[in-house]
Amino acid sequence: MRIIISVIICLYTLSINAQRVEFNDPDLTFSFVKPKEWSLFDDGYRVLVSPSVKDSSNIYFSITYFEKPQPQELGLEEDLIIEEEFEQELVNVNFKIAKVEAQTYMQADAQGEKKVYIFEKFNQRFYIYTAENDSKNSFDGVFKRILKSIRVTAN
């Protein structure tokens, strides 16, 4: 009984502090849960979530996707859409997003940490970028909760 009550309280707390956002496309729908107090910006090319609309350069989570290239086209490593100065290091190949394996690339320096997660679903290649340039707070847990909440369905 205590376990059931704890689960109910936990789910209620999560629903108060989080909000599922959904994006529709002719081919698919994707959604994720973001912290309620975080701002959302969708420019039609990418979706960006950050604690601050005014300054999303320090802490952000962004997602974009493209139709997957054909095998004769670019390979995954050659097709990375990463900032030129981003020195990629593959850190985890067994991480799952939307129930499929994702590749994780990371860059860490004195200014903070940036990660790129790449996965493919329904013939689309998804790129998820996270950046944390704030040494006072750790948003890694927030980013992981968002990543775990991602759902992708075919339309």
Side-chain angles (χ1 to χ4, degrees):
M1 182 69 166
R2 282 186 173 166
I3 293 173
I4 294 172
I5 292 171
S6 296
V7 169
I8 291 171
I9 290 170
C10 181
L11 291 173
Y12 179 73
T13 304
L14 286 174
S15 68
I16 290 174
N17 296 323
Q19 171 185 13
R20 180 160 290 280
V21 290
E22 186 173 283
F23 302 88
N24 294 300
D25 170 292
D27 298 324
L28 58 89
T29 297
F30 75 91
S31 67
F32 56 87
V33 174
K34 73 169 190 70
K36 271 194 176 175
E37 66 277 1
W38 283 34
S39 300
L40 180 96
F41 176 73
D42 178 8
D43 65 5
Y45 170 71
R46 71 179 177 145
V47 175
L48 184 122
V49 180
S50 177
S52 170
V53 161
K54 294 178 183 175
D55 182 17
S56 61
S57 63
N58 286 324
I59 303 161
Y60 65 84
F61 170 95
S62 75
I63 184 169
T64 191
Y65 62 94
F66 305 93
E67 188 172 348
K68 181 178 142 185
Q70 298 304 313
Q72 68 273 19
E73 295 178 20
L74 300 174
L76 184 61
E77 290 77 24
E78 296 168 295
D79 192 39
L80 290 176
I81 301 175
I82 299 177
E83 303 166 26
E84 288 181 21
E85 71 274 3
F86 195 94
E87 306 232 348
Q88 63 214 21
E89 175 188 344
L90 183 62
V91 291
N92 187 352
V93 293
N94 295 320
F95 189 77
K96 289 194 175 191
I97 299 175
K99 299 181 182 178
V100 295
E101 287 199 23
Q103 292 184 322
T104 307
Y105 295 84
M106 184 180 101
Q107 174 193 20
D109 57 27
Q111 296 173 340
E113 183 177 274
K114 294 180 183 180
K115 291 182 182 173
V116 179
Y117 301 86
I118 302 169
F119 70 97
E120 296 175 358
K121 193 158 187 175
F122 302 121
N123 203 37
Q124 302 289 320
R125 183 170 291 165
F126 287 78
Y127 295 86
I128 300 171
Y129 300 86
T130 65
E132 183 177 349
N133 298 329
D134 184 354
S135 60
K136 297 176 198 137
N137 298 308
S138 176
F139 289 92
D140 193 51
V142 174
F143 294 146
K144 284 182 181 173
R145 284 192 296 278
I146 296 172
L147 289 166
K148 288 178 181 179
S149 75
I150 292 174
R151 295 182 190 157
V152 181
T153 56
N155 289 341

